[in-house]
Amino acid sequence: MNKTKFISLILALFMLASLTACGQSAESSAEVSTPDEAIAVMNDVQKQDATSAVHTESVETEPTEPSYELLQEKVANMTLQEKVGQMFFVALPDENAAETAKQYNLGGYILFGKDVDGKTAEELKAVIQGFQSESKYSMLVGADEEGGTVVRVSSNPKLYPSPFLSPKEYSLKGGVDAAVKAENDKADLLLSLGINVNLAPVCDITKNKDSFMYDRSYADNAKDVSEFITKTVEAYNSKKLGCVLKHFPGYGDNADTHTGSATDSRSYAELASNDFLPFEAGIKAGAGAVMVSHNVITAIDPQYPASLSDKVHTVIRKDLNFKGVIITDDLNMDAVKNIAGEQSPAVLAVKGGNDMLCSTSIDGYQAVIDAVNKGEIPIEQIDQSVVRILKWKQDLGILGF
């Protein structure tokens, strides 16, 4: 509106207000008596219109996804057996996968080479659909498709022309852009088959070429690894493929915990200023899950491996401010068996603060239920974990309600 029209409108409002006031009582005639007050009235009207517009816009753009409160309500109405079942992310059994998923209300299945080898895309999709269709709560379907030495899916030529190289190899050929392009290709492949979680990317920083994790590590410095992790998580999130940052707090040059225990004696300051950084980058980028290693980190907890340590999990929650799902590395690895002894690794893992238990079997399912019933594990902790799991599924678009 130009200045002349604006002044004319103000004067008209003033005259109208004055005429109206002549016919009103003394009590109501004080509403508008000067041009300044007329302008104030107009400003109030404009503010109300603006407020109304903002309110209307917020209503129109309100998300339609289930709210956090709805997830809490869903969990409150689940049985203890259903809740505990959601916490198990286990290897796909050779037989009765659908029946087992339905019976235990499992949170997810992990596919290994034996589950993929020789199958066509149609055959593998049929297997996945077979157990998904029997699940009351849509399942996470995971695979380790890191690239390089760990390629569960692309190693099958019926599914992909050739196995993915390691991120390190792509980077050496074409920098971080080449590495991230491969991650996008992985995401497209996995999602096309019905796999909704890649148990990757690897956040570990390894300098020694003879170390167990060297070939799986992207680079030997935190800056480059953090950049790769950030861009990978962003790529996965854009496609709604779940990712798992592993293996907190960073393997470094430690030994393989598949076959024995490993102790990391580095200081907390060294870990925080180096190994934590890629995890922090991935969390900031929106990663849905963090996997914890079985290394004993003496600077944090000299007694328990990281995967079973409540002190390590406190670092993840408090120091790194992670709100998502914390997952153990495989509880059947020797590093856990050695320390658990007669105790249930699953129970120790839940007590330590894990939301999901990665395992080759559902061993420990009943032990966790028994521990809750005995008061050893608070039901409130179980509820919090299951809400986080359902929230992750919601973010991936697979929740189903």
Side-chain angles (χ1 to χ4, degrees):
M1 181 182 296
N2 62 42
K3 184 176 182 181
T4 301
K5 289 184 178 180
F6 182 79
I7 293 173
S8 298
L9 179 58
I10 293 299
L11 290 174
L13 286 170
F14 175 68
M15 292 174 67
L16 179 60
S18 299
L19 289 171
T20 304
C22 292
Q24 291 176 331
S25 67
E27 289 180 352
S28 62
S29 64
E31 289 181 3
V32 178
S33 59
T34 68
D36 287 342
E37 289 180 359
I39 292 172
V41 170
M42 172 171 274
N43 288 338
D44 287 341
V45 171
Q46 290 174 332
K47 288 177 181 177
Q48 290 172 5
D49 288 343
T51 302
S52 177
V54 171
H55 176 71
T56 301
E57 182 180 353
S58 67
V59 171
E60 290 175 352
T61 59
E62 185 175 345
T64 58
E65 292 181 337
S67 66
Y68 191 79
E69 290 73 18
L70 177 58
L71 296 180
Q72 290 178 311
E73 181 182 334
K74 289 286 185 182
V75 171
N77 290 323
M78 294 168 67
T79 67
L80 176 58
Q81 288 75 15
E82 288 175 331
K83 294 174 185 179
V84 173
Q86 285 296 295
M87 298 175 70
F88 278 78
F89 200 177
V90 301
L92 181 70
D94 293 334
E95 298 178 347
N96 303 319
E99 293 82 352
T100 302
K102 182 177 182 179
Q103 178 182 352
Y104 294 99
N105 291 282
L106 297 177
Y109 274 143
I110 301 172
L111 308 184
F112 289 87
K114 66 180 179 59
D115 307 309
V116 175
D117 291 348
K119 288 185 174 64
T120 65
E122 290 70 24
E123 289 170 338
L124 185 56
K125 285 189 286 187
V127 170
I128 293 172
Q129 182 56 35
F131 59 73
Q132 282 286 32
S133 64
E134 293 295 322
S135 302
K136 183 175 181 179
Y137 308 99
S138 298
M139 297 179 70
L140 300 170
V141 184
D144 290 280
E145 190 65 29
E146 297 174 10
T149 59
V150 182
V151 281
R152 310 297 191 204
V153 178
S154 65
S155 59
N156 179 356
K158 293 183 179 180
L159 301 178
Y160 204 70
S162 60
F164 283 105
L165 304 178
S166 70
K168 185 197 300 282
E169 290 175 285
Y170 284 115
S171 177
L172 292 174
K173 291 184 176 183
V176 68
D177 290 342
V180 174
K181 180 185 182 304
E183 298 304 319
N184 275 283
D185 293 342
K186 289 178 191 176
D188 291 339
L189 171 63
L190 297 180
L191 290 169
S192 73
L193 299 168
I195 298 169
N196 51 45
V197 174
N198 190 7
L199 297 168
V202 172
C203 297
D204 304 285
I205 302 168
T206 306
K207 299 180 183 296
N208 187 340
K209 292 184 178 181
D210 295 326
S211 296
F212 161 65
M213 196 59 69
Y214 183 80
D215 290 334
R216 297 166 64 185
S217 176
Y218 177 77
D220 62 0
N221 66 89
K223 178 179 179 297
D224 289 344
V225 177
S226 297
E227 180 185 14
F228 168 70
I229 296 300
T230 296
K231 292 185 175 182
T232 295
V233 172
E234 290 173 348
Y236 285 10
N237 284 351
S238 71
K239 296 175 182 291
K240 291 190 178 296
L241 177 72
C243 66
V244 180
L245 307 178
K246 60 186 190 185
H247 310 76
F248 189 83
Y251 246 92
D253 293 320
N254 287 287
D256 182 2
T257 52
H258 289 80
T259 56
S261 301
T263 299
D264 191 330
S265 58
R266 289 176 292 173
S267 69
Y268 186 87
E270 184 177 355
L271 291 169
S273 63
N274 188 61
D275 292 65
F276 286 7
L277 300 183
F279 292 95
E280 291 175 344
I283 290 169
K284 185 176 180 181
V290 171
M291 178 179 285
V292 187
S293 76
H294 297 320
N295 294 339
V296 175
I297 314 299
T298 58
I300 304 175
D301 187 344
Q303 181 178 3
Y304 287 106
S307 56
L308 307 182
S309 169
D310 61 340
K311 296 177 182 178
V312 171
H313 287 74
T314 297
V315 170
I316 298 173
R317 294 293 184 204
K318 299 293 180 63
D319 294 6
L320 275 65
N321 195 32
F322 182 58
K323 308 296 185 185
V325 174
I326 300 179
I327 305 176
T328 68
D329 206 344
D330 186 354
L331 290 177
N332 283 286
M333 290 162 62
D334 285 350
V336 172
K337 291 180 179 179
N338 291 347
I339 199 164
E342 297 301 316
Q343 303 176 84
S344 166
V347 171
L348 291 175
V350 175
K351 287 182 176 180
N354 294 283
D355 301 305
M356 295 197 83
L357 312 176
C358 175
S359 179
T360 56
S361 69
I362 56 173
D363 291 346
Y365 168 82
Q366 188 60 48
V368 173
I369 292 173
D370 292 343
V372 175
N373 287 330
K374 293 175 183 176
E376 296 177 16
I377 298 173
I379 186 62
E380 293 80 9
Q381 179 188 339
I382 300 294
D383 289 350
Q384 290 172 359
S385 290
V386 180
V387 168
R388 292 188 188 110
I389 294 164
L390 295 185
K391 179 63 171 63
W392 191 21
K393 292 182 177 184
Q394 173 185 306
D395 291 344
L396 298 179
I398 65 169
L399 194 53
F401 57 78

